[in-house]
Amino acid sequence: DQQVKQNSPSLSVQEGRISILNCDYTNSMFDYFLWYKKYPAEGPTFLISISSIKDKNEDGRFTVFLNKSAKHLSLHIVPSQPGDSAVYFCAASATQGAQKLVFGQGTRLTINP
Amino acid sequence: KAGVTQTPRYLIKTRGQQVTLSCSPISGHRSVSWYQQTPGQGLQFLFEYFSETQRNKGNFPGRFSGRQFSNSRSEMNVSTLELGDSALYLCASSLEGRGGIGYTFGSGTRLTVV
């Protein structure tokens, strides 16, 4: 039972354009959502998070949008840079009581020069 | 400050053997969580330790076990290795281990079972 899904295994975007990565979840108990970036042979690096009391959070070139009614979140990267090429994971948690993250399968983002 | 240290980085084992992986958290962090990453599966939660107590466990067989020491360092053990156990094993440390807040991941241990 995949509670967090990233339906696009890969995404290719031109440098300078917007990258949009999507994530869907099924568990309505999730109240905290995170995006991680991962390079090969390294651990995931935290990018940005959002609490369920918000619908948008912005940090520089990265913005996360949360649509609770649709159980959908997205990560926007503007403008996309070659160094953004990596695998991106969305993750969710129910912060009251749970001590774990539930991850999606990941989306490989490639930024083309 | 020093990050999360996982040792060894790479490991090759034979089916049926057992293996122990180590994770040293960031100084002051009392929670250590373990995840398994396999292609196409994302990261799957194994277990979480806080102050030497296992607080949460994922849906893995009993061959997977762990422990945490008084200095917060953690080990995970996999017995009777199977080919399907080949994966990247990641640990994450945090102050409280609450819902992924403040997680810092190590670089992982790549386990190959042959």
Side-chain angles (χ1 to χ4, degrees):
Chain A
D1 175 26
Q2 193 75 29
Q3 297 186 64
V4 178
K5 289 185 182 179
Q6 293 175 257
N7 291 317
S8 298
S10 63
L11 177 66
S12 188
V13 174
Q14 207 71 21
E15 181 179 358
R17 307 293 282 264
I18 183 172
S19 295
I20 300 176
L21 296 95
N22 294 302
C23 180
D24 297 296
Y25 63 96
T26 57
N27 190 337
S28 54
M29 296 299 291
F30 290 148
D31 60 357
Y32 191 66
F33 305 89
L34 309 91
W35 284 93
Y36 286 87
K37 176 180 179 180
K38 188 178 182 301
Y39 294 117
E42 293 183 16
T45 303
F46 171 75
L47 266 179
I48 192 168
S49 63
I50 187 167
S51 163
S52 61
I53 61 174
K54 294 186 171 182
D55 53 19
K56 176 183 173 182
N57 190 25
E58 202 169 345
D59 184 2
R61 297 186 297 114
F62 302 92
T63 303
V64 56
F65 295 91
L66 175 63
N67 183 332
K68 288 185 289 293
S69 60
K71 293 191 175 67
H72 177 84
L73 65 154
S74 61
L75 174 68
H76 292 209
I77 306 173
V78 182
S80 300
Q81 298 174 355
D84 295 331
S85 295
V87 177
Y88 288 77
F89 291 96
C90 72
S93 71
T95 54
Q96 298 306 314
Q99 297 90 26
K100 68 176 185 179
L101 285 173
V102 180
F103 283 85
Q105 305 96 311
T107 296
R108 181 176 300 279
L109 175 65
T110 302
I111 306 301
N112 302 306
Chain B
K1 58 183 178 182
V4 179
T5 303
Q6 290 189 247
T7 56
R9 287 297 308 273
Y10 302 92
L11 207 47
I12 299 175
K13 289 286 188 179
T14 305
R15 247 183 328 173
Q17 286 187 312
Q18 75 163 18
V19 67
T20 299
L21 312 180
S22 178
C23 173
S24 293
I26 289 172
S27 177
H29 284 189
R30 293 193 292 167
S31 168
V32 174
S33 301
W34 288 89
Y35 290 82
Q36 180 197 64
Q37 186 192 0
T38 53
Q41 291 294 316
L43 283 74
Q44 306 283 319
F45 173 75
L46 281 155
F47 25 66
E48 189 261 359
Y49 288 87
F50 183 85
S51 293
E52 302 179 66
T53 300
Q54 186 185 89
R55 294 194 299 186
N56 204 347
K57 190 177 191 307
N59 192 22
F60 278 82
R63 299 185 297 107
F64 291 80
S65 63
R67 59 179 175 168
Q68 187 180 34
F69 302 95
S70 58
N71 62 357
S72 293
R73 189 177 72 85
S74 177
E75 289 181 346
M76 67 163 281
N77 184 277
V78 188
S79 62
T80 320
L81 284 165
E82 300 177 359
L83 295 179
D85 297 333
S86 295
L88 179 67
Y89 289 88
L90 293 156
C91 77
S93 80
S94 65
L95 283 169
E96 297 179 359
R98 188 166 59 90
I101 297 171
Y103 266 28
T104 300
F105 279 90
S107 296
T109 294
R110 170 74 63 185
L111 171 65
T112 302
V113 182
V114 297

